[in-house]
Amino acid sequence: MSGLTHFDGKGDAHMVDVSAKAETDRIATAACHISMAPETFDIISQGRAKKGDVLSVARLAGIMGAKRTPDLIPLCHPLPIAKVAVDLTLDPDLPGVRVEATVKTTGRTGVEMEALTAAGIAALTIYDMAKAVDRAMQIDGLRVVLKDGGKSGRYEAV
Amino acid sequence: MSGLTHFDGKGDAHMVDVSAKAETDRIATAACHISMAPETFDIISQGRAKKGDVLSVARLAGIMGAKRTPDLIPLCHPLPIAKVAVDLTLDPDLPGVRVEATVKTTGRTGVEMEALTAAGIAALTIYDMAKAVDRAMQIDGLRVVLKDGGKSGRYEAV
Amino acid sequence: MSGLTHFDGKGDAHMVDVSAKAETDRIATAACHISMAPETFDIISQGRAKKGDVLSVARLAGIMGAKRTPDLIPLCHPLPIAKVAVDLTLDPDLPGVRVEATVKTTGRTGVEMEALTAAGIAALTIYDMAKAVDRAMQIDGLRVVLKDGGKSGRYEAV
Amino acid sequence: MSGLTHFDGKGDAHMVDVSAKAETDRIATAACHISMAPETFDIISQGRAKKGDVLSVARLAGIMGAKRTPDLIPLCHPLPIAKVAVDLTLDPDLPGVRVEATVKTTGRTGVEMEALTAAGIAALTIYDMAKAVDRAMQIDGLRVVLKDGGKSGRYEAV
Amino acid sequence: MSGLTHFDGKGDAHMVDVSAKAETDRIATAACHISMAPETFDIISQGRAKKGDVLSVARLAGIMGAKRTPDLIPLCHPLPIAKVAVDLTLDPDLPGVRVEATVKTTGRTGVEMEALTAAGIAALTIYDMAKAVDRAMQIDGLRVVLKDGGKSGRYEAV
Amino acid sequence: MSGLTHFDGKGDAHMVDVSAKAETDRIATAACHISMAPETFDIISQGRAKKGDVLSVARLAGIMGAKRTPDLIPLCHPLPIAKVAVDLTLDPDLPGVRVEATVKTTGRTGVEMEALTAAGIAALTIYDMAKAVDRAMQIDGLRVVLKDGGKSGRYEAV
């Protein structure tokens, strides 16, 4: 299957051999957002100022989720993650929360999946924490916005 | 923080006490979709008929991801999952893949997070398997479409 | 080895058969404290009022750690945890933080190990977050303070 | 929050970027002890000579626990652990068991948390194995006793 | 695909719905053996009498492995394991070690996979511990020898 | 215990110190086979051509299992796996399936255990998927067939 590196010549799935690739500094940033009812947004926003901070829990879940990526994505290589940051921004125009996750490594393959997993798990954790008041929240726009390092070079979402 | 059950009276996060809730049959269905370039869609569609099936790998990742939910979502209860099914449909109109995950349990709390995690991980796995040919794929519409069982009753997305 | 139920008649370790025990409501509370330099205590205390809350991260780590107990303690049974709460109190007299973790289940064996693991992991997380300013912090007094439910009845530390 | 590297400029938790740090040989030793009733100590001591060895189980749990550290401590980096040793010494003066865990790596950040986790899990496993005869056992003195390698140099507990 | 319950009507893999099955007491026993050079057998046998017991480590690995079964076998249900015992017998006629693992649960599906995983992981751990002196060890005869409980009734290997 | 490197001078289990070993390219291949009734073989073979492919699920389980090796084998070092391939061949002469797993890394210790774990988990997954029609399947011949890289040089099974 031309182009899909996760399949070998016979069409069977495998974890691609990266042993001949150079260990280079790599970075990836992924983003998504979760939309909610205005009342839900107000409850979460108020917690930001006081105690009981939904965003702190979601940020931590995203960071820890990045470390579980090779357990979750079948053909993903385990990597020595060097940095994870998850930025959460309250956006009254959604209304909801914008999520951006950045992961760095020095390794033989990229960290897009780690960044996407971190962003996705952070957003799902917001859903979990607010679902008692709002079941109709929705996560959209989960994608890679930046990738750099490695042979394939820099990619930025337009 | 009124309504957010994952915080106690002091505003501190906790895992809610469900020991007084009844063990009932519960079901949840979550959905999302991943959009891609027409060329990527063609490559994945061809694999569906032949060997090297992207959708088979993603389906399995979603099923296994559902089982990891309490490891990923900090305040989620571990549950004896009774069923997981992940349906993946090629949709030429996106173009891309529609994901629907259904989880059942007989337990003291619902399985929305398990269904959402299964759907999200399945979509992320499609991203992983096709990212060598298309970095701009995007996941949208990750939400609960059905929930039933338990005290709060049936919920269906409109 | 008389009394040590985790060994069989030949002296070999095994996971004790609990299938004949009744499913009852069980609770356990464990406690410990971490002592630190007064300057470290001040830094952590200030974060309590503002953002960057060490205690929030530690609380979450303790809750998630409780769920990992059967992965960590070799002969521990997996249990459907019904509640986890981790209380963290700044104590200027130590100076340091007092940790108390409570776990509930409806199951065939107790949750002392889950409570002890939650308390221990919460304290270790405080160490991790403050170790850049204080390597000499120390965790003491990790013990079960309350256990109830099950055939052996109520236990309270004196 | 000055000094606490696990928070960024906004006070949000993150996993610190270590990609610019050198890969160096690092070592850390952590210690703790568990105290018990004299009768419990006698039972465990006798098993040391015969079969049914509590200390063997605890040692293995500590070694395996070191490998789970990044799953447990939220902001801890995953590291390629090069060595784990857990020494357990029966001390009739406590009476109880002294635990010392040493971890080595060649990496970009230290292994104090791995050593502390190994020591703590080993002690908790002793509690688990003897709790049927003694609920009042207590773990104290969990701390780093030695750390070397990396920019911050050697640390030894006084 | 008639008879293979892990596939649905369309031929897609799923985790079978067991929610309508009764919670009954279930047991399974699996066995295997590992053969080795006579010199390797002698080294392991001597450790049995003294310290440094290969079999103790393997037994514990098998018990812990049983608990990881739903993480390893994709379509396996998570179950509340009630008992795990791993018996290891030195057999000079192989020469090598015979492994027998028994798992019990009270649940909606059987524990054959847990017993097979426990036996397999115990044997692999023996391989790991002795591979420095013998690379040619081999594991054979991994199979279910007994299964009981549940609708399909008792099965015993002939 | 002379030769068994997983025990120290006192006979206690430890994770061997590999920090002084060179990072070299290493490869290992392990194999096994699972035998079954002719009817079971026919069902699995037919799925190979159509949908509902038992072998695809088993292959993926083996690849993911390789990544879990340090969680399963107590004294195994965590390694940055660079490649995993699991080849499954239908063999009508058994009748059954032949499994061969190859793992590569650039690290300080070998990947035999990862290859053996991948092969074993793939075979166990075949058992799981076909056990509804055939309980008497059996796994044999689980062994290392090739190992290369590192100080001890090349090993090939005869």
Side-chain angles (χ1 to χ4, degrees):
Chain A
M1 191 183 298
S2 132
L4 295 200
T5 53
H6 282 314
F7 295 105
D8 64 18
K10 291 173 294 176
D12 292 333
H14 64 152
M15 192 197 291
V16 169
D17 188 354
V18 298
S19 56
K21 297 172 84 171
E23 272 207 341
T24 60
D25 288 342
R26 293 156 189 274
I27 189 169
T29 300
C32 68
H33 58 270
I34 179 167
S35 310
M36 54 191 63
E39 298 74 27
T40 314
F41 181 79
D42 290 346
I43 289 173
I44 290 179
S45 305
Q46 287 159 15
R48 184 66 175 152
K50 301 188 211 159
K51 288 186 296 177
D53 190 343
V54 169
L55 302 195
S56 291
V57 178
R59 184 182 300 112
L60 218 59
I63 292 170
M64 296 181 82
K67 294 192 266 187
R68 311 308 298 270
T69 306
D71 287 347
L72 298 170
I73 308 297
L75 303 173
C76 208
H77 294 81
L79 281 173
I81 292 178
K83 173 198 160 139
V84 186
V86 176
D87 279 318
L88 300 171
T89 312
L90 288 160
D91 182 344
D93 293 337
L94 283 169
V97 182
R98 298 196 174 276
V99 182
E100 196 173 89
T102 296
V103 179
K104 292 177 73 172
T105 193
T106 304
R108 290 187 168 79
T109 181
V111 282
E112 300 99 299
M113 295 318 301
E114 283 75 6
L116 285 165
T117 302
I121 298 295
L124 286 175
T125 299
I126 294 174
Y127 187 96
D128 182 47
M129 302 200 66
K131 72 179 191 292
V133 297
D134 185 359
R135 291 220 173 84
M137 289 174 287
Q138 180 169 315
I139 298 165
D140 291 286
L142 180 55
R143 69 200 185 284
V144 173
V145 293
L146 170 73
K147 175 201 181 305
D148 207 358
K151 204 178 59 179
S152 64
R154 188 176 182 88
Y155 164 81
E156 270 182 284
V158 286
Chain B
M1 191 182 296
S2 132
L4 294 200
T5 52
H6 282 315
F7 296 105
D8 64 17
K10 291 173 295 177
D12 291 333
H14 65 152
M15 191 196 293
V16 169
D17 188 353
V18 298
S19 57
K21 296 171 85 171
E23 272 205 340
T24 59
D25 287 341
R26 292 155 189 274
I27 189 170
T29 300
C32 68
H33 58 270
I34 179 166
S35 309
M36 54 191 63
E39 298 75 25
T40 314
F41 181 79
D42 290 346
I43 289 173
I44 290 179
S45 304
Q46 288 159 14
R48 184 66 175 154
K50 301 187 211 158
K51 288 186 296 177
D53 190 344
V54 169
L55 302 196
S56 291
V57 178
R59 184 181 301 113
L60 219 58
I63 291 171
M64 296 180 82
K67 294 192 266 187
R68 311 306 299 268
T69 306
D71 287 347
L72 298 170
I73 308 298
L75 303 173
C76 209
H77 294 80
L79 279 174
I81 292 178
K83 172 200 162 138
V84 187
V86 176
D87 280 318
L88 300 171
T89 312
L90 288 160
D91 182 345
D93 293 337
L94 284 171
V97 182
R98 297 197 174 275
V99 182
E100 196 172 270
T102 296
V103 179
K104 291 177 72 172
T105 194
T106 304
R108 291 188 167 78
T109 179
V111 282
E112 299 99 297
M113 295 317 302
E114 283 76 7
L116 286 164
T117 301
I121 297 295
L124 286 174
T125 299
I126 294 173
Y127 187 96
D128 181 49
M129 302 202 66
K131 72 180 191 292
V133 297
D134 186 359
R135 288 219 176 86
M137 288 174 288
Q138 180 169 315
I139 298 164
D140 291 286
L142 181 53
R143 70 203 184 283
V144 172
V145 292
L146 171 72
K147 174 199 182 304
D148 206 358
K151 206 178 57 180
S152 64
R154 188 176 183 89
Y155 164 81
E156 269 181 286
V158 286
Chain C
M1 192 183 295
S2 133
L4 294 200
T5 53
H6 282 316
F7 296 105
D8 63 17
K10 291 172 295 176
D12 292 334
H14 64 153
M15 191 196 292
V16 169
D17 187 353
V18 298
S19 57
K21 297 171 85 171
E23 272 205 340
T24 60
D25 288 341
R26 293 157 190 272
I27 189 170
T29 300
C32 68
H33 59 271
I34 179 167
S35 309
M36 53 191 63
E39 298 75 25
T40 315
F41 182 78
D42 290 347
I43 290 172
I44 290 179
S45 305
Q46 287 160 16
R48 185 66 176 155
K50 302 187 211 160
K51 287 186 296 178
D53 191 343
V54 169
L55 302 195
S56 291
V57 178
R59 185 181 301 113
L60 219 58
I63 293 170
M64 296 181 81
K67 293 193 266 187
R68 310 308 298 269
T69 305
D71 287 348
L72 299 169
I73 308 298
L75 303 173
C76 208
H77 294 81
L79 280 174
I81 292 178
K83 173 199 161 138
V84 187
V86 176
D87 280 319
L88 299 171
T89 312
L90 287 159
D91 182 344
D93 294 336
L94 285 170
V97 183
R98 297 196 175 276
V99 182
E100 196 172 270
T102 296
V103 179
K104 291 176 73 171
T105 194
T106 304
R108 290 187 169 79
T109 181
V111 282
E112 300 99 296
M113 295 318 301
E114 283 75 7
L116 285 165
T117 301
I121 297 296
L124 285 175
T125 299
I126 293 174
Y127 187 96
D128 182 47
M129 304 202 65
K131 72 180 190 293
V133 296
D134 186 359
R135 289 217 176 87
M137 288 175 288
Q138 179 168 315
I139 298 165
D140 291 286
L142 180 54
R143 69 201 185 284
V144 172
V145 293
L146 170 73
K147 174 200 182 303
D148 207 358
K151 205 178 58 180
S152 64
R154 188 176 183 88
Y155 164 82
E156 269 182 286
V158 286
Chain D
M1 191 181 299
S2 133
L4 295 199
T5 53
H6 282 315
F7 295 105
D8 64 17
K10 291 173 295 176
D12 292 333
H14 64 152
M15 192 197 292
V16 169
D17 187 354
V18 298
S19 56
K21 297 173 85 170
E23 272 206 341
T24 60
D25 288 341
R26 293 157 190 272
I27 189 170
T29 300
C32 68
H33 58 270
I34 178 167
S35 309
M36 54 192 62
E39 298 74 27
T40 315
F41 181 78
D42 290 346
I43 290 172
I44 290 180
S45 305
Q46 287 159 14
R48 184 67 176 153
K50 302 187 210 157
K51 289 186 295 177
D53 190 344
V54 169
L55 302 196
S56 291
V57 178
R59 184 181 301 112
L60 219 58
I63 292 170
M64 296 181 82
K67 295 193 265 187
R68 312 306 300 269
T69 306
D71 287 347
L72 298 170
I73 309 298
L75 304 173
C76 208
H77 295 80
L79 279 174
I81 292 177
K83 173 199 162 138
V84 187
V86 176
D87 280 318
L88 300 171
T89 312
L90 288 160
D91 182 345
D93 293 338
L94 282 170
V97 183
R98 297 196 174 276
V99 182
E100 196 171 270
T102 296
V103 179
K104 292 177 72 173
T105 193
T106 304
R108 291 188 167 78
T109 180
V111 281
E112 300 99 298
M113 295 318 300
E114 282 76 6
L116 285 164
T117 301
I121 297 297
L124 285 175
T125 299
I126 293 173
Y127 187 97
D128 182 47
M129 302 201 65
K131 72 180 191 291
V133 296
D134 186 358
R135 289 219 175 86
M137 288 175 288
Q138 180 169 315
I139 298 165
D140 291 286
L142 181 53
R143 70 201 184 283
V144 172
V145 293
L146 170 72
K147 174 200 182 305
D148 206 358
K151 205 178 59 179
S152 64
R154 188 175 182 89
Y155 164 81
E156 271 182 285
V158 286
Chain E
M1 191 181 297
S2 131
L4 295 201
T5 52
H6 282 316
F7 296 105
D8 63 17
K10 291 173 296 176
D12 292 333
H14 65 152
M15 192 197 290
V16 169
D17 187 353
V18 297
S19 57
K21 295 171 86 171
E23 273 205 340
T24 60
D25 289 340
R26 292 156 189 273
I27 188 170
T29 300
C32 68
H33 58 272
I34 178 166
S35 310
M36 54 191 62
E39 298 74 26
T40 315
F41 181 78
D42 289 346
I43 290 173
I44 290 179
S45 303
Q46 287 158 15
R48 184 66 176 153
K50 301 185 211 160
K51 287 186 295 177
D53 191 343
V54 169
L55 303 195
S56 291
V57 178
R59 184 181 301 113
L60 219 58
I63 293 170
M64 296 180 82
K67 294 193 266 186
R68 311 307 299 268
T69 305
D71 287 348
L72 298 169
I73 308 299
L75 303 173
C76 208
H77 294 81
L79 279 173
I81 291 178
K83 172 200 161 138
V84 187
V86 177
D87 280 318
L88 300 171
T89 312
L90 287 160
D91 182 346
D93 293 337
L94 284 170
V97 183
R98 297 196 175 278
V99 182
E100 196 172 271
T102 296
V103 179
K104 291 176 73 172
T105 193
T106 304
R108 291 188 167 79
T109 181
V111 281
E112 300 98 298
M113 295 318 300
E114 283 74 7
L116 286 165
T117 302
I121 298 295
L124 286 175
T125 299
I126 293 173
Y127 187 96
D128 182 47
M129 303 202 65
K131 72 181 191 292
V133 296
D134 186 359
R135 288 218 175 87
M137 288 174 288
Q138 179 168 315
I139 298 164
D140 291 286
L142 181 53
R143 69 201 185 284
V144 172
V145 293
L146 171 72
K147 174 199 182 305
D148 207 358
K151 205 178 58 179
S152 64
R154 188 176 183 88
Y155 164 81
E156 269 182 285
V158 287
Chain F
M1 192 182 297
S2 132
L4 294 199
T5 53
H6 281 316
F7 295 105
D8 63 17
K10 291 172 296 176
D12 291 333
H14 65 152
M15 192 198 291
V16 169
D17 187 355
V18 298
S19 58
K21 297 171 86 172
E23 272 205 341
T24 60
D25 287 342
R26 293 156 189 273
I27 188 169
T29 300
C32 67
H33 57 270
I34 179 167
S35 310
M36 54 191 62
E39 298 74 27
T40 314
F41 181 78
D42 290 347
I43 290 173
I44 290 180
S45 304
Q46 287 159 15
R48 184 67 175 153
K50 301 187 210 158
K51 288 186 296 176
D53 190 344
V54 169
L55 302 195
S56 291
V57 178
R59 184 181 300 112
L60 219 58
I63 292 170
M64 296 181 82
K67 294 193 264 187
R68 311 307 299 269
T69 305
D71 287 348
L72 298 170
I73 308 298
L75 304 174
C76 209
H77 294 80
L79 280 174
I81 292 177
K83 173 200 161 136
V84 187
V86 177
D87 279 318
L88 300 171
T89 313
L90 287 160
D91 182 345
D93 293 337
L94 283 170
V97 183
R98 298 197 175 276
V99 182
E100 196 171 271
T102 296
V103 179
K104 291 176 74 173
T105 193
T106 304
R108 290 187 167 79
T109 181
V111 282
E112 300 99 298
M113 295 318 301
E114 282 75 6
L116 285 165
T117 301
I121 297 295
L124 286 175
T125 299
I126 293 173
Y127 187 96
D128 182 48
M129 302 200 67
K131 72 179 191 292
V133 296
D134 186 359
R135 289 219 175 87
M137 288 175 287
Q138 180 169 314
I139 298 165
D140 291 286
L142 181 54
R143 68 201 185 282
V144 172
V145 293
L146 170 73
K147 174 201 182 305
D148 207 358
K151 206 178 57 181
S152 63
R154 188 175 181 90
Y155 164 81
E156 269 182 285
V158 286

